[in-house]
């Protein structure tokens, strides 16, 4: 399984970015997807998660109402739409996948996720 993130960049506070996670080697339909981020000087944290059958989505409290996770199985790609960005959203964003049925509680557990992308950097200026 290979995951490749794209879509990061520099944006002003209040702006938007859409991150993409292109998955190859497997069919995305069978996989749960999560987005994590690592801010400068901080631990990596879970941001959002979607079940493999789209049976649930989860968002970290600070991004609720601003970020939207989705997937396009035909394109084998997952997305994270980020609106009303804030400087505290700055960091490197990673997507991760697992074929294992994922309960919502595992969205933030990094060891749960089998495969990771290399990350894409998001910088939000004030």
């Amino acid at each position: 399984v290979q995951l490749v993130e794209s879509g990061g960049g520099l944006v002003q506070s209040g702006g938007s970015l859409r991150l993409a996670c292109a998955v190859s080697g497997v069919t995305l339909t069978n996989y749960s997807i999560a987005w994590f981020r690592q801010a400068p000087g901080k631990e990596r944290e879970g941001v959002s998660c979607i079940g493999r059958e789209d049976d649930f989505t989860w968002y970290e409290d600070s991004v609720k109402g601003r970020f939207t996770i989705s997937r396009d199985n035909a394109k084998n790609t997952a997305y994270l739409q980020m609106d009303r960005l804030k400087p505290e959203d700055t960091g490197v964003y990673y997507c991760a996948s697992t074929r294992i049925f994922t309960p919502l509680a595992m969205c933030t557990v990094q060891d749960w996720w089998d495969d990771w992308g290399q990350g894409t950097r998001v910088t939000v200026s004030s």
Side-chain angles (χ1 to χ4, degrees), residues 59-68 81-84 86:
Y59 298 94
E60 194 269 330
D61 284 346
S62 70
V63 308
K64 281 181 182 176
R66 300 189 298 121
F67 289 12
T68 304
Q81 176 68 41
M82 307 188 297
D83 298 318
R84 290 182 281 136
K86 304 176 180 180

Side-chain angles (χ1 to χ4, degrees), residues 44-90:
R44 189 159 58 182
E45 63 175 356
V47 174
S48 184
C49 174
I50 185 167
R52 66 183 183 183
E53 298 178 358
D54 292 354
D55 48 334
F56 72 85
T57 56
W58 170 85
Y59 298 94
E60 194 269 330
D61 284 346
S62 70
V63 308
K64 281 181 182 176
R66 300 189 298 121
F67 289 12
T68 304
I69 191 170
S70 64
R71 64 202 298 158
D72 185 335
N73 291 333
K75 295 183 178 180
N76 239 33
T77 300
Y79 301 96
L80 186 67
Q81 176 68 41
M82 307 188 297
D83 298 318
R84 290 182 281 136
L85 282 160
K86 304 176 180 180
E88 51 264 43
D89 295 319
T90 293

Side-chain angles (χ1 to χ4, degrees), residues 95-124:
C95 63
S97 71
T98 182
R99 188 169 182 172
I100 301 172
F101 172 78
T102 298
L104 190 147
M106 292 295 109
C107 285
T108 59
V109 179
Q110 296 185 50
D111 289 345
W112 180 264
W113 300 90
D114 298 319
D115 299 287
W116 293 76
Q118 82 291 345
T120 185
R121 185 173 300 276
V122 172
T123 303
V124 184

